[in-house]
Amino acid sequence: MKRVASTCPYCGVGCGIVLNVDEADRISWVDDVPENPSSDGMLCVKGRFGTTFVNHPDRLTTPLIRRNGNLEPAGWDEALDLVAAKFLEFRGAFGSFASAKATNEDAFVQQKFVRLVMGTNNVDHCTRLCHSPSVEAMLQQLGSGATSNSYSDYEDASCIVLVGCDPGSNHPVVASRMRRAIDSRGTRLVVVNPRRIEMCERADIFLQNHPGTDVAVFNGMARAILDAGLQDGAFVASRTEGFDAWLAAIRETTVEDCAAIAGLDAADLRAAGLLYADPPRLAWQPADWRPGSCLVWGMGVTQHTNGTDNAHSLLNLALLTGQVGRPGCGVSPLRGQNNVQGCGDAGCVPDSLPGYQRYEDATIRPFEDLWGAELSRDQGLKATDMVEQIAVGAIRAMYIVGENPLLSEPNLHHATDLFRKLDFLVVQDLFLHETAELADVVLPACSFAEKDGTFTNSERRVQRVRQAIPAVGESRPDWAIVCEIARRICPNVEIDPRQFDYEGPAAIFAEMARLTPFLRGLSYERLDAEGGIQWPCPEPGHPGTPYLYAESFPRGLGKFVPVRQGALADEETDAEYPLILNTGRILYHWHGGTITRRVEGLLDRVGVIPVAVHPNDAESAGIADGDPVMVMSRRGRLSGEALVTDAVQPGALFVPFVKLQDSAANFLTNNVYDPESRIPEYKVCAVRIEKKRERKRMEAAGEPSRP
Ligand SMILES: Nc1nc2c(c(=O)[nH]1)N[C@H]1C(S)=C(S)[C@@H](COP(=O)(O)OP(=O)(O)OC[C@H]3O[C@@H](n4cnc5c(=O)[nH]c(N)nc54)[C@H](O)[C@@H]3O)O[C@H]1N2
Ligand SMILES: Nc1nc2c(c(=O)[nH]1)N[C@H]1C(S)=C(S)[C@@H](COP(=O)(O)OP(=O)(O)OC[C@H]3O[C@@H](n4cnc5c(=O)[nH]c(N)nc54)[C@H](O)[C@@H]3O)O[C@H]1N2
Ligand code: SF4
Ligand SMILES: [Mo]
């Protein structure tokens, strides 16, 4: 039995794992890593039992080329030649999605290919559908889009505020660390969520707000803090700017007004504000320790048409109270995919180069010098805009690596129509998923277990991923495939093909570190010798940075941004569609389920979409727990099984967006976007629920009947 130390391929917590590989080169079990500072010896069900997808018989094993309408196996050379010729043909109308599941090295090479060879900044990834509003707001207000603290700060905090996230399901090992702090160290907990999540069992205050009202909640908390004089005046004076304009906006409202908008009790809202600003001194904290609060948030904040405003309102509160820059406090957008932090750091975003460096002469020149060509200074298209721009022919060819937009984008009937309009689509993945089924060429990629590289987790820790088994079939690492395509196009566009002659991932990492100031001190030698290291790590002797902003913000002063509560959502309920659909996740599935439907133990747990519905709404629709149900929106429908529960509010449904039995939530969701970040409004759309036997009657009444 071979043992290989690596990093979990599921979520942004980034737990350390050891893969135990048998004689047949299969992963037979996974161990935890007690000395890993991020996971502290813990793993959740997916990390421990969820990696069998690697050897699933559905893995793509050869390239596929569409001939006479069918995808047929082909050799690598033929497939790569075809892809290179077609990408060259559509060079002016090209866009690419990178993968937050692949490594930093894969991501770095892909954005280099798009920028240097394809001459465009049209490269993005799932952060657009995820924390783009947080990153946007944090860049404006602080100058960096990353989580400011370490997970250990949750255990040192006196108060944790969980906003629009469900760590018990989605960041389970972080949730365990929080539970440990609450149970054994006295940490207080505030939950802000329209749905009663499992962590509410331990909450001191649960603010069950109406969807889309987080600006009112956080402005209300700010107003309560100001009324009580609990702001950190010294921090505001020395570390921030824009306070007066923000204050004027807050003075327009009262705690009572905000509570009314959010559907909360004003006393609870006030208490939450005061607890966050002035958390108690816990028994274990020394006399010179300033008790701190951690503000932790997720998709309930971001996936709204007012997502960036929501994020601003959270950050304003942290600036007002000085709850950043010390142990035991901080601002944490909990990152989702295993390497979504790294994919952004590596430059797979349309508005900046690796290291979030903007397109200015001084920052772009080192790239041009090293890569030997001029680069575009024009902003690229964001992922959601690339998809919408297919309609007008601005995007005609796409290269989709390790994402499945035809389950993850909103309003899937609309998105599918657009993808069908592409002249040329290449998908590079482990499996033939919904998007791949429409592709002209499908390229088989290696999974995390078959390649070397690094992932960067939610606490900015760069950790090694190590090859444990040989490549499955003829699959190749993403970076190697991209290099093959690039080298074929280079001579036609006057780029030196040697730009893509890498010896391996260590050399790619070295180039990325050289071009990215906050990674400059990192190397494979260091990561192998010392274990994962948290960026910023600006020079080789630097130990890494557990928390940010001790002295200053990357932009200098922290900036208040006034925000007022606007419309709660784009789509309103009416007599025909009287309920609000909230979509998200459950512990046992991963996104659309491309991976977790291929892990038997997980599929056994949840094989039908659970539709959470309040007992009142269930009763009026004649639905009992476990009944087969249909949920309909103006755009589509889904089938699932009723889960009657008062965890959701009356008038609201919750479903995970996993596809099970051919149904998926994104057939129902609305393709409307936050103006700044262009994130879709996944968390609110208007729907109706019916018991499934009604189906025949609905079809007779001419309801939308596409699958
Ligand atoms: N098991 C599992 N874990 C995962 C994933 C997975 O697919 N499966 N995906 C990973 C990824 S990529 C991500 S981004 C993270 C996401 O992790 P989370 O952010 O925890 O994910 P969600 O379940 O989408 O949404 C969180 C919560 O937002 C609440 N919410 C909805 N509307 C509002 C609102 O208006 N205000 C507030 N305050 N809350 C609201 C919902 O009730 C829900 O509980 O999880 C990661 N971890
Ligand atoms: N309704 C609704 N929709 C949502 C959300 C929501 O809350 N509600 N959340 C949104 C969010 S936050 C996110 S992050 C997106 C996620 O959306 P996606 O990123 O599209 O979802 P995944 O299923 O994680 O897709 C990852 C793909 O990568 C493949 N893969 C795994 N490892 C590798 C590798 O090493 N190389 C390559 N080439 N492929 C690999 C997997 O097989 C899988 O097909 O969904 C968004 N959509
Ligand atoms: S918490 Fe996240 S990183 Fe850790 S084992 Fe579970 S899925 Fe993997
Ligand atoms: Mo995400």
Side-chain angles (χ1 to χ4, degrees):
M1 195 71 69
K2 189 168 73 174
R3 287 170 56 81
V4 182
S6 193
T7 305
C8 177
Y10 278 99
C11 90
V13 177
C15 296
I17 56 175
V18 173
L19 298 170
N20 292 274
V21 179
D22 65 19
E23 299 74 30
D25 284 327
R26 296 172 74 95
I27 298 170
S28 58
W29 79 86
V30 176
D31 287 320
D32 54 57
V33 180
E35 62 278 12
N36 183 295
S38 292
S39 50
D40 204 14
M42 292 180 270
L43 290 179
C44 81
V45 60
K46 293 183 296 301
R48 190 151 324 254
F49 303 111
T51 56
T52 51
F53 69 85
V54 164
N55 289 114
H56 193 279
D58 287 353
R59 276 290 297 276
L60 290 163
T61 54
T62 68
L64 307 174
I65 294 180
R66 188 170 298 281
R67 302 185 217 267
N68 306 320
N70 300 318
L71 285 169
E72 292 175 2
W76 268 108
D77 277 329
E78 189 192 0
L80 292 167
D81 288 345
L82 176 62
V83 169
K86 288 288 185 179
F87 280 178
L88 187 61
E89 183 182 338
F90 295 109
R91 192 159 168 270
F94 173 84
S96 186
F97 290 180
S99 181
K101 296 222 85 63
T103 62
N104 285 317
E105 294 74 6
D106 294 326
F108 181 82
V109 170
Q110 191 174 342
Q111 61 82 37
K112 179 175 178 181
F113 163 68
V114 174
R115 295 196 157 99
L116 180 63
V117 180
M118 299 305 288
T120 172
N121 289 314
N122 291 343
V123 58
D124 207 352
H125 67 287
C126 64
T127 193
R128 192 60 48 205
L129 314 178
C130 188
H131 265 301
S132 58
S134 314
V135 173
E136 187 66 41
M138 294 175 93
L139 285 173
Q140 279 178 41
Q141 295 189 257
L142 313 175
S144 163
T147 288
S148 76
N149 52 277
S150 296
Y151 306 148
S152 59
D153 290 308
Y154 306 137
E155 290 174 89
D156 290 341
S158 291
C159 168
I160 298 171
V161 180
L162 290 180
V163 193
C165 58
D166 181 5
S169 296
N170 305 332
H171 298 89
V173 165
V174 157
S176 296
R177 296 185 71 154
M178 290 175 174
R179 282 190 210 103
R180 199 157 75 180
I182 294 164
D183 294 348
S184 66
R185 311 193 98 193
T187 301
R188 308 294 203 268
L189 179 68
V190 177
V191 173
V192 185
N193 197 317
R195 191 165 62 100
R196 198 178 66 238
I197 55 168
E198 184 240 53
M199 289 294 280
C200 288
E201 282 172 17
R202 286 177 167 77
D204 295 276
I205 303 174
F206 173 30
L207 301 179
Q208 194 168 18
N209 62 328
H210 292 321
T213 61
D214 291 81
V215 169
V217 171
F218 286 88
N219 281 355
M221 283 166 70
R223 181 69 209 240
I225 292 164
L226 289 163
D227 289 350
L230 286 177
Q231 67 273 27
D232 185 341
F235 187 90
V236 170
S238 64
R239 298 282 308 269
T240 73
E241 62 182 342
F243 179 73
D244 292 338
W246 172 80
L247 186 63
I250 295 296
R251 288 242 167 89
E252 290 168 15
T253 184
T254 64
V255 179
E256 283 67 26
D257 291 343
C258 292
I261 294 169
L264 299 171
D265 187 290
D268 290 346
L269 185 57
R270 187 171 281 113
L274 304 192
L275 181 57
Y276 175 76
D278 187 25
R281 179 176 305 284
L282 305 179
W284 63 268
Q285 290 169 342
D288 61 349
W289 176 279
R290 180 176 160 197
S293 293
C294 287
L295 191 50
V296 181
W297 71 95
M299 300 297 101
V301 170
T302 58
Q303 291 174 338
H304 292 275
T305 41
N306 52 6
T308 306
D309 282 356
N310 288 338
H312 282 310
S313 72
L314 269 68
L315 296 170
N316 289 334
L317 197 71
L319 293 177
L320 177 68
T321 52
Q323 293 291 9
V324 285
R326 313 185 305 278
C329 65
V331 287
S332 311
L334 279 177
R335 302 309 310 258
Q337 296 264 29
N338 53 312
N339 195 41
V340 66
Q341 181 65 51
C343 197
D345 297 348
C348 291
V349 280
D351 52 9
S352 51
L353 293 157
Y356 308 96
Q357 301 176 83
R358 300 289 185 182
Y359 307 129
E360 286 150 13
D361 287 339
T363 45
I364 213 166
R365 205 157 291 133
F367 289 86
E368 295 180 331
D369 290 347
L370 194 64
W371 294 351
E374 235 179 81
L375 298 174
S376 163
R377 277 140 171 88
D378 299 332
Q379 299 273 326
L381 290 172
K382 300 184 165 100
T384 41
D385 289 331
M386 283 187 233
V387 176
E388 298 286 0
Q389 294 276 311
I390 297 170
V392 294
I395 296 289
R396 296 180 60 194
M398 285 197 83
Y399 183 21
I400 310 267
V401 178
E403 289 203 355
N404 185 9
L406 291 186
L407 279 187
S408 49
E409 292 278 328
N411 192 358
L412 286 176
H413 292 305
H414 168 74
T416 308
D417 288 345
L418 289 172
F419 270 85
R420 283 188 200 283
K421 287 204 176 79
L422 283 171
D423 291 282
F424 191 66
L425 173 62
V426 178
V427 170
Q428 181 167 308
D429 208 282
L430 314 184
F431 298 106
L432 191 71
H433 54 49
E434 290 70 9
T435 316
E437 277 168 9
L438 294 189
D440 297 286
V441 178
V442 178
L443 302 173
C446 287
S447 78
F448 82 104
E450 299 143 58
K451 61 187 171 191
D452 281 296
T454 53
F455 293 157
T456 305
N457 74 4
S458 194
E459 57 173 1
R460 295 168 278 102
R461 193 182 303 280
V462 183
Q463 308 193 94
R464 278 300 311 273
V465 173
R466 294 188 182 82
Q467 181 169 7
I469 59 171
V472 168
E474 293 173 27
S475 67
R476 297 183 183 178
D478 290 290
W479 66 266
I481 303 172
V482 176
C483 286
E484 287 284 352
I485 297 169
R487 277 194 294 264
R488 283 168 163 78
I489 305 178
C490 281
N492 303 87
V493 293
E494 288 169 34
I495 302 293
D496 185 347
R498 286 173 303 181
Q499 282 293 338
F500 295 89
D501 285 347
Y502 292 103
E503 263 170 40
I508 300 168
F509 189 87
E511 183 175 318
M512 180 168 81
R514 176 170 165 190
L515 289 167
T516 309
F518 60 71
L519 299 176
R520 206 157 280 156
L522 297 178
S523 63
Y524 273 34
E525 296 79 69
R526 274 197 77 183
L527 296 173
D528 287 336
E530 299 170 42
I533 297 172
Q534 289 172 286
W535 69 250
C537 180
E539 68 255 336
H542 192 286
T545 310
Y547 63 90
L548 306 175
Y549 316 143
E551 311 285 323
S552 67
F553 294 103
R555 72 179 293 281
L557 294 174
K559 186 180 174 190
F560 281 95
V561 173
V563 279
R564 295 168 176 85
Q565 177 70 53
L568 306 193
D570 177 80
E571 193 176 43
E572 289 173 7
T573 54
D574 59 15
E576 208 181 341
Y577 298 99
L579 304 174
I580 288 177
L581 178 69
N582 171 8
T583 66
R585 306 162 158 75
I586 45 173
L587 175 63
Y588 297 108
H589 280 291
W590 192 261
H591 299 151
T594 307
I595 297 175
T596 44
R597 270 184 273 120
R598 293 178 170 97
V599 178
E600 237 175 69
L602 296 177
L603 189 61
D604 286 350
R605 293 287 185 139
V606 181
V608 189
I609 297 178
V611 180
V613 52
H614 190 272
N616 297 359
D617 297 316
E619 197 189 320
S620 41
I623 293 167
D625 192 54
D627 275 352
V629 290
M630 293 278 269
V631 183
M632 282 80 63
S633 80
R634 292 185 175 86
R635 292 157 296 277
R637 56 164 67 165
L638 79 77
S639 309
E641 200 175 274
L643 174 69
V644 178
T645 166
D646 64 2
V648 295
Q649 288 173 313
L653 303 180
F654 177 83
V655 297
F657 72 102
V658 57
K659 179 180 176 186
L660 293 170
Q661 300 188 334
D662 281 333
S663 265
N666 277 330
F667 286 104
L668 283 66
T669 49
N670 196 1
N671 55 317
V672 290
Y673 307 97
D674 172 48
E676 281 178 87
S677 66
R678 308 296 289 157
I679 196 169
E681 188 148 73
Y682 291 121
K683 292 289 184 261
V684 182
C685 71
V687 295
R688 156 171 101 245
I689 187 169
E690 285 179 15
K691 204 162 156 172
K692 201 156 174 197
R693 59 177 161 70
E694 308 279 290
R695 180 179 183 156
K696 290 239 151 38
R697 190 192 59 70
M698 280 162 25
E699 270 163 6
E703 293 286 343
S705 62
R706 285 200 285 176

